[in-house]
Structures are given as structure tokens and as C-alpha cells.
Amino acid sequence: MEEKAPSTPKADATSVEDGRAASPRYGFASQAKESCSALSRLTLELWRRIRLEVVVEWPLLKQRWRILLFGLIMQYVHGIFTQLAHRMHQPQEEPLHDVGFDLTPELGPEQHWVSETIFGIAFATFVLWTFTPFVTQRKRFYTAVMWSRLLMVLVVCQALRIVTFSVTQLPGPSFHCRASEPTARREWPSHWTGHVFIDVGRQMSKSCGDLIFSSHTTFMLTGILAYNEYGSLAFMKALSWLMGVIISILIVASRKHYTVDVVIAWYTVPLVFYTM
């Protein structure tokens, strides 16, 4: 009879590794280890890019911090005047006649959130995109330079807006600005310091009187024009204009603004953007 050759340690190790590889538990652990390793490499690469971009952006930020600060202060000043416009607001039972109102059904209180939600998502997406130089290899702009320009565009547009809605008060077309609604009027403060404090929540959801021209459309068009100048994807550029048209229609349908408010913004903002 033939005797079997004794197994060697190398052969035993090979058989054990084969057995482990065939084991589902071992395969899962191996995949998890590879995934963690890939995630670690990606995190380190992302951190490296962020650090390099900070080194590049920091000198630009130091050159433009006054512009950025002035633009942020203007947002506060704009809030003071929109609050003042609400106090000067003279509500009516029905809004003025508007062709846009004739062509679009009113969304009403139940669907009032639709335009705000779409606008909020679009605005948040744009803000995130402006910081893509920190995480991507391809770079078409510097974040500090872009925001200094965009804030100056907003400053000029908001200054024009303050003048227009302050000299002419239109009755608010929204459901909460009708004469029968308590939110249509806002009491005057007993002291001038009352004008300094802004009720941000009320101004964002229940403001009246600051109509000409549309602030939502101003922010939206500033973002669209910025992406069309600095962005790289043709599809996204076309989509941004389509979203701009849809949001403009929803603004009118929700009765946040008269059609004239949106139309004026559509030709004012591009004029200011390409002048700055």
C-alpha cells in the first residue's frame, strides 16, 4: 500500500488561506477593510485640497474682506427697510389687477410653501457650488473673488430696491397682506430703537409692502448669471434658466409679488451684474 506524503506547513497555510477566502465572513471583512482604506485615502486627499485652496484663497480674502463685510452689513440694512415698508403698508381687500394673476391660479395658504421650498433648495445648491474650488481639481474661479462680486451686485440691486418700494407703496397681493388679515399691518415702535431690531422670521414669511422689485428674483438671477459665467456644465446652465422661469411663475402664482416686480428684476439684475 502506498503511504500519503506528510503535509508541509506551507501547504497547510495555503489551505487555511483558501478556506478563509471562501468564508463569507472573511470576504465581508476584507471588503470592509478595503472600503475603509479607500475612504481614508479619499479623506486625506480632500483635506489636502482644502488646505491648498485655503492657502490660495486667504490672501484674496484679506484683500477683499472689507467688501464682503460691507455686503453682509447691507443685508441688515435691507432688512431694516423691508420692515419699515411693512409698517407703511396700506392693505386692501383685493390686490391690484395683474395679468400674471389672470394667467396663473393662486396657490393659496396650503401650497404657499412650494415656491419657497424650490427657491431654498436652488439657493442652497448654488451656495455649495461656490465652494467647489476647495474640493475639486478643476477650478474656474476663486470663491473669495466671486462672493465679493456677487455681494456688490446684491448691494446695488438692494439699494435700488429700497428706493423703489419706499417711494411707492403697493397693496400686498399675498393672502396674509389682505386688509382682513392681522398680519397685513405692523405697528410702529414707540422708540426709534424699535426699527433697529429685525424680526427675521416674520420678515421672511409674513412681510408686506416691499414689492418693487422682487427680492427672490434678484437673488435667483444673481446665482443664475454667476453660474452661466463661471460654471462649466452646459446642461446645468440651461437647467438654471429653466428653473429661473419656473420659480418666477411660482412667485406670481403664490402672490408674493405682482408680475411687474418680477419683470423689473429680470432686466435690472443682468444690467447690474454685467456692469460690476
Side-chain angles (χ1 to χ4, degrees):
M1 295 179 63
E2 294 182 358
E3 295 183 358
K4 294 182 178 180
S7 60
T8 62
K10 184 176 181 180
D12 292 341
T14 303
S15 62
V16 171
E17 289 178 0
D18 292 342
R20 289 179 178 175
S23 172
R25 182 179 298 178
Y26 180 80
F28 176 78
S30 177
Q31 292 178 359
K33 185 177 180 180
E34 292 177 0
S35 300
C36 291
S37 178
L39 181 61
S40 177
R41 290 193 301 269
L42 179 62
T43 303
L44 290 175
E45 175 63 19
L46 183 62
W47 176 243
R48 185 186 67 84
R49 291 180 184 176
I50 292 175
R51 289 177 60 187
L52 290 175
E53 188 63 24
V54 168
V55 171
V56 174
E57 294 272 359
W58 182 248
L60 300 174
L61 180 61
K62 290 196 295 185
Q63 294 174 1
R64 294 168 172 80
W65 71 268
R66 292 179 181 84
I67 298 175
L68 296 171
L69 180 61
F70 177 67
L72 294 175
I73 292 174
M74 184 61 183
Q75 305 311 303
Y76 169 71
V77 174
H78 179 258
I80 291 177
F81 278 93
T82 57
Q83 193 168 252
L84 181 63
H86 196 165
R87 291 190 168 104
M88 294 190 297
H89 179 237
Q90 299 296 320
Q92 294 183 6
E93 286 295 339
E94 294 295 331
L96 302 176
H97 177 258
D98 188 286
V99 175
F101 294 174
D102 295 338
L103 298 176
T104 58
E106 184 174 359
L107 294 180
E110 295 78 12
Q111 288 81 33
H112 196 255
W113 58 270
V114 174
S115 63
E116 287 294 334
T117 302
I118 296 176
F119 174 82
I121 293 173
F123 181 74
T125 302
F126 170 75
V127 172
L128 291 175
W129 169 77
T130 62
F131 289 93
T132 54
F134 287 86
V135 295
T136 58
Q137 290 182 339
R138 298 178 60 186
K139 181 167 64 175
R140 295 171 59 91
F141 59 89
Y142 296 101
T143 302
V145 176
M146 171 182 281
W147 274 108
S148 61
R149 179 185 181 187
L150 297 185
L151 284 173
M152 285 302 97
V153 171
L154 290 176
V155 164
V156 174
C157 289
Q158 288 171 333
L160 294 173
R161 186 170 185 267
I162 288 171
V163 172
T164 54
F165 70 61
S166 296
V167 296
T168 300
Q169 287 288 308
L170 298 180
S174 183
F175 66 92
H176 64 266
C177 296
R178 309 291 170 83
S180 58
E181 296 294 327
T183 53
R185 293 179 174 86
R186 188 163 186 176
E187 67 283 354
W188 287 85
S190 57
H191 194 265
W192 67 267
T193 54
H195 294 291
V196 177
F197 299 99
I198 302 173
D199 187 345
V200 178
R202 185 173 180 178
Q203 285 303 109
M204 291 183 65
S205 60
K206 300 291 184 180
S207 65
C208 302
D210 57 319
L211 294 174
I212 303 175
F213 45 92
S214 170
S215 180
H216 285 72
T217 311
T218 298
F219 277 87
M220 176 193 69
L221 287 174
T222 301
I224 291 174
L225 293 168
Y227 186 81
N228 276 263
E229 181 161 334
Y230 299 107
S232 57
L233 300 177
F235 170 75
M236 291 301 298
K237 293 180 180 182
L239 181 62
S240 68
W241 286 113
L242 177 61
M243 288 297 296
V245 173
I246 293 174
I247 292 175
S248 296
I249 294 174
L250 288 174
I251 289 173
V252 175
S254 62
R255 304 301 188 255
K256 290 185 176 69
H257 283 277
Y258 292 101
T259 306
V260 65
D261 307 331
V262 176
V263 170
I264 292 175
W266 267 89
Y267 63 74
T268 302
V269 177
L271 288 173
V272 175
F273 184 88
Y274 289 114
T275 302
M276 300 300 291

